[in-house]
Amino acid sequence: MCGIIGFTGNINAKEVLLQGLKALEYRGYDSAGISFFTETGLKTIKAVGKVAGLAEKAAMSDDCTKCGIGHTRWATHGGVSEVNCHPHHFGKVTLIHNGIIENYKELQEELASEGKEPVSQTDSEIAAMVIDSYYKADPVSAIKKAVKKLRGAYAFCIMFEDHPGSIYAIRNGSPLVATNTGAGSIIASDMVALIKYSKDYFVLPEHHIAHLTEGSINITDLDHNEIEPDMLHVNWDMAAARKGGYEYFMLKEIHEQPEALRNTISPRIKDGMPDFSEDGIDDSLFADINRIIIAACGTAMHAGLIGKNMIEKLSRVPVSVDIASEFRYQDPVIDEKTLVITISQSGETADTLAALRLAKERGAKTLSIVNVKGSSIARESDYVLYTHAGPEIAVASTKAYTVQLAAMYLVSFRFAYIKEKISGKKTKELIKELEKMPGFVEKMLSCDKAIEPISNKLLKTESLFFIGRGLDYALSCEGSIKLKEISYIHSEAYAAGELKHGTISLITDNVPVIALATQEDVFAKMISNIREVRSRGAKVIMIAGADAQVDASLCDHLITLPPVNDVFAPFGAAIVLQYIAYYTAVARGLNVDQPRNLAKSVTVE
Ligand code: AGP
């Protein structure tokens, strides 16, 4: 997830671009760059690191300019380097991009056959090359032809060398908002970069081309029909704007999950099959593996519990999930047929990094699932499968968790297929279900209205339980940590069938129990467990599948998921658990994004 901005008008464009990039920096901050028109042609300044470094470099050039584009990067394709930093330039085209072009390799091969080679390792430069290949003299026509060749998510701002003062933009999936004011026309990834100039804006409709000049923004669809955009108005201040108008980053990041899932899943699907070739992960990594160990911490470890379930269910290969701080001191049994998977949003968690190093010392093959590109765990693993959630600011992990699930599902499908435990047909069916998850999660996001009142009732709770079986037990662990870390209410996740072996003695009148019952094969057992706690006075909040037959007397609150294959229920139930924790913490008046005693990344033992 990157931040992009374009401006053309009658004030210093460099200043507008740099201030906008600073505001957009929470969307990505490993490198930044600007390109702008000057008297002597198009100039570009790039810098690895944060926008401040770019601003220093830009201050050294006294070029004045009224038109330019800027980009702050969250690396997905291609490492963190100046050459991979946007804007990218080819021929007459200079471009910035937020999103992922899934078929960039095929396009690169086509361009190579015409003798055209990129200088960077990015999918974005390939997009610039494709647009340039269609460019004769008409920018709109070149863009229209080029986007027909592109597959994937994109928001582009494009300048053409022989069209000074003009910026063109088009999007598919990735966000772009724009406005025209007395100072000129401005377009960016979100309002945070516009709000200084105007609170009136519009969202660029997908597959429409915006042509920005100082005095106007002209929008046409792909059939050359001109349209007037629907104008919107915000009454946020600047601070709120960075959170996209949400009260906390956590809520914003909960709502970013559809885009994060789409960006993580789509590039790993080729011809309907899971495919890691663009991640440099060959099937040989999995071929002779007879055991898997997943080592991680906190929420990442909980994603590993779901991964264990999925891998064992499909490939029949034993998987153990270890808390990384335990694994590293356990003298683990590892050999060359063991695959150790480390999961980490930050890629810097000390215990997980130590677990990875121990695994490598002992001769295991290592694969990491990491969100931050170029982080220590990513660099030191034999293989890395990046999640593309974009920066996660809130301490409580939400979008990073669900994209970790997506990565685990992709690995479990590919692994089982290679082990010949599932057919190609079955694999494609599973992939089709996984591809529905961004939409499924989108639907789940509207359950907040039903959950907020439930959370308000937990306000005074001292302690509560999450119970479940199988995938629902793994989810219970995640629900429990989410609630504890931001609402400071004690909670415990329990395998529902285990309650009667001791802990049920704690269930007395009005003790809240959040019961996850999304798994059909153990639904009847869950009903009995719910009856057990209810008969002892528990207040039950039940999360169940769409067609669950639930007697009204069984629970105090019932939250049902939209219809979904129950193997994929975790993607929806996770949203419910995130909302429960979020609204409870808000009701208790706590600082949701920065809970006490916690850091976003635990880089010490
Ligand atoms: C999750 O909400 C917490 N912030 C914490 O448990 C986190 O998942 C854990 O510290 C692991 O961090 P990592 O994914 O960056 O390795």
Side-chain angles (χ1 to χ4, degrees):
M1 189 169 82
C2 307
I4 71 173
I5 182 172
F7 174 78
T8 179
N10 49 45
I11 59 174
N12 178 346
K14 245 195 272 184
E15 206 173 290
V16 174
L17 297 177
L18 291 168
Q19 281 172 0
L21 288 178
K22 186 79 194 110
L24 288 165
E25 200 165 35
Y26 73 90
R27 294 179 63 87
Y29 41 71
D30 56 45
S31 59
I34 55 175
S35 288
F36 46 89
F37 283 103
T38 69
E39 302 287 296
T40 55
L42 259 173
K43 288 261 175 85
T44 296
I45 302 171
K46 298 181 175 186
V48 169
K50 297 209 159 191
V51 172
L54 173 68
E56 273 171 37
K57 279 180 96 169
M60 288 186 266
S61 95
D62 54 6
D63 296 302
C64 71
T65 174
K66 300 276 194 295
C67 176
I69 56 179
H71 184 279
T72 182
R73 187 167 183 243
W74 180 265
T76 48
H77 288 86
V80 178
S81 65
E82 200 158 301
V83 75
N84 287 336
C85 174
H86 300 216
H88 288 288
H89 175 79
F90 193 87
K92 297 279 189 191
V93 172
T94 296
L95 158 149
I96 52 178
H97 169 221
N98 172 32
I100 291 179
I101 304 301
E102 296 157 15
N103 61 328
Y104 82 102
K105 278 279 187 224
E106 298 151 41
L107 295 168
Q108 185 169 350
E109 283 154 20
E110 269 178 48
L111 290 159
S113 65
E114 299 160 20
K116 296 175 182 173
E117 295 292 345
V119 295
S120 75
Q121 296 86 44
T122 67
D123 54 340
S124 310
E125 186 185 4
I126 300 302
M129 295 169 73
V130 172
I131 295 170
D132 185 68
S133 68
Y134 287 108
Y135 181 62
K136 303 286 174 281
D138 175 357
V140 172
S141 151
I143 294 167
K144 284 182 178 151
K145 287 178 187 147
V147 295
K148 289 194 176 85
K149 302 265 292 187
L150 304 179
R151 259 203 340 269
Y154 52 78
F156 294 126
C157 288
I158 309 157
M159 298 194 298
F160 295 81
E161 208 165 273
D162 45 359
H163 285 73
S166 282
I167 296 171
Y168 296 83
I170 187 167
R171 75 181 190 93
N172 174 41
S174 299
L176 273 178
V177 292
T179 191
N180 176 268
T181 71
S185 297
I186 184 167
I187 190 164
S189 302
D190 74 23
M191 268 310 285
V192 65
L194 274 54
I195 201 159
K196 181 180 175 190
Y197 306 97
S198 171
K199 293 195 172 186
D200 298 309
Y201 71 103
F202 64 86
V203 177
L204 179 63
E206 289 192 303
H207 315 124
H208 282 65
I209 296 174
H211 176 194
L212 286 78
T213 56
E214 178 189 343
S216 66
I217 300 178
N218 174 280
I219 302 169
T220 54
D221 65 18
L222 296 183
D223 299 321
H224 301 273
N225 304 310
E226 198 166 324
I227 66 132
E228 277 308 312
D230 299 332
M231 291 308 290
L232 304 169
H233 178 82
V234 289
N235 43 23
W236 305 326
D237 59 18
M238 185 64 143
R242 279 193 69 231
K243 297 169 195 156
Y246 293 100
E247 190 179 358
Y248 290 102
F249 274 112
M250 183 179 173
L251 189 58
K252 184 170 189 291
E253 287 154 9
I254 288 174
H255 282 255
E256 285 172 346
Q257 291 180 99
E259 182 186 5
L261 282 166
R262 203 171 291 117
N263 288 345
T264 299
I265 294 167
S266 311
R268 280 82 186 230
I269 296 173
K270 286 231 171 8
D271 305 327
M273 289 291 284
D275 182 301
F276 301 130
S277 49
E278 291 197 10
D279 302 286
I281 301 173
D282 186 77
D283 287 349
S284 60
L285 168 63
F286 302 111
D288 53 3
I289 293 297
N290 63 14
R291 181 162 172 259
I292 292 177
I293 297 172
I294 298 173
C297 301
T299 287
M301 188 269 286
H302 299 153
L305 293 173
I306 300 271
K308 164 189 166 66
N309 246 285
M310 291 302 296
I311 294 170
E312 287 187 341
K313 188 194 296 273
L314 294 174
S315 64
R316 312 309 299 151
V317 167
V319 181
S320 61
V321 179
D322 288 300
I323 294 169
S325 54
E326 290 295 301
F327 174 85
R328 60 184 295 197
Y329 296 111
Q330 256 167 6
D331 190 9
V333 177
I334 288 175
D335 64 23
E336 72 292 346
K337 289 187 179 304
T338 308
L339 171 63
V340 174
I341 300 176
T342 47
I343 305 174
S344 176
Q345 186 287 129
S346 63
E348 299 299 345
T349 298
D351 288 321
T352 309
L353 180 57
L356 167 65
R357 287 171 176 165
L358 176 61
K360 289 184 73 173
E361 253 170 58
R362 298 289 178 89
K365 292 182 179 174
T366 59
L367 166 67
S368 65
I369 294 174
V370 174
N371 195 42
V372 178
K373 187 105 185 172
S375 52
S376 305
I377 291 169
R379 283 199 317 275
E380 296 190 27
S381 299
D382 298 325
Y383 300 88
V384 56
L385 183 60
Y386 280 112
T387 54
H388 299 315
E392 188 175 66
I393 312 295
V395 164
S397 192
T398 51
K399 60 178 182 174
Y401 171 69
T402 46
V403 295
Q404 286 163 357
L405 297 190
M408 288 297 350
Y409 277 59
L410 286 163
V411 166
S412 69
F413 300 162
R414 187 78 205 170
F415 187 52
Y417 174 68
I418 291 163
K419 288 285 183 191
E420 298 181 353
K421 294 294 182 188
I422 56 174
S423 66
K425 181 171 176 293
K426 174 66 178 167
T427 309
K428 288 188 173 182
E429 285 166 10
L430 290 167
I431 284 291
K432 269 204 174 330
E433 290 299 310
L434 187 62
E435 285 185 296
K436 294 175 190 169
M437 290 305 105
F440 176 55
V441 165
E442 188 76 54
K443 226 184 274 178
M444 281 308 302
L445 291 175
S446 57
C447 75
D448 52 344
K449 309 278 177 300
I451 289 169
E452 190 169 1
I454 296 173
S455 286
N456 290 339
K457 290 190 182 149
L458 297 176
L459 200 55
K460 304 230 179 313
T461 301
E462 297 289 310
S463 179
L464 63 87
F465 291 87
F466 290 81
I467 64 171
R469 290 170 177 258
L471 286 172
D472 283 335
Y473 169 61
L475 273 164
S476 299
C477 297
E478 177 54 16
S480 175
I481 197 173
K482 274 292 89 57
L483 185 74
K484 281 184 287 194
E485 68 177 327
I486 63 173
S487 76
Y488 312 152
I489 293 174
H490 175 261
S491 72
E492 196 171 352
Y494 234 83
E498 179 65 5
L499 269 176
K500 54 187 171 298
H501 300 285
T503 302
I504 200 162
S505 63
L506 298 180
I507 306 291
T508 57
D509 277 356
N510 300 319
V511 170
V513 172
I514 298 176
L516 288 104
T518 69
Q519 299 304 297
E520 286 158 24
D521 59 340
V522 287
F523 182 74
K525 297 288 177 207
M526 275 306 295
I527 295 297
S528 339
N529 296 139
I530 292 170
R531 287 195 203 287
E532 282 163 15
V533 297
R534 202 139 162 79
S535 63
R536 289 162 177 82
K539 290 286 179 209
V540 175
I541 299 165
M542 188 172 167
I543 302 170
D547 48 9
Q549 302 301 317
V550 179
D551 184 290
S553 65
L554 187 69
C555 55
D556 300 85
H557 300 283
L558 173 62
I559 300 158
T560 51
L561 304 182
V564 68
N565 172 331
D566 65 348
V567 163
F568 294 85
F571 290 93
I575 307 304
V576 177
L577 299 171
Q578 291 165 3
Y579 274 148
I580 288 175
Y582 173 80
Y583 285 110
T584 304
V586 168
R588 288 165 72 96
L590 299 170
N591 180 342
V592 174
D593 285 338
Q594 277 102 25
R596 69 189 179 204
N597 311 338
L598 290 172
K600 182 59 187 169
S601 175
V602 183
T603 55
V604 293
E605 274 211 49

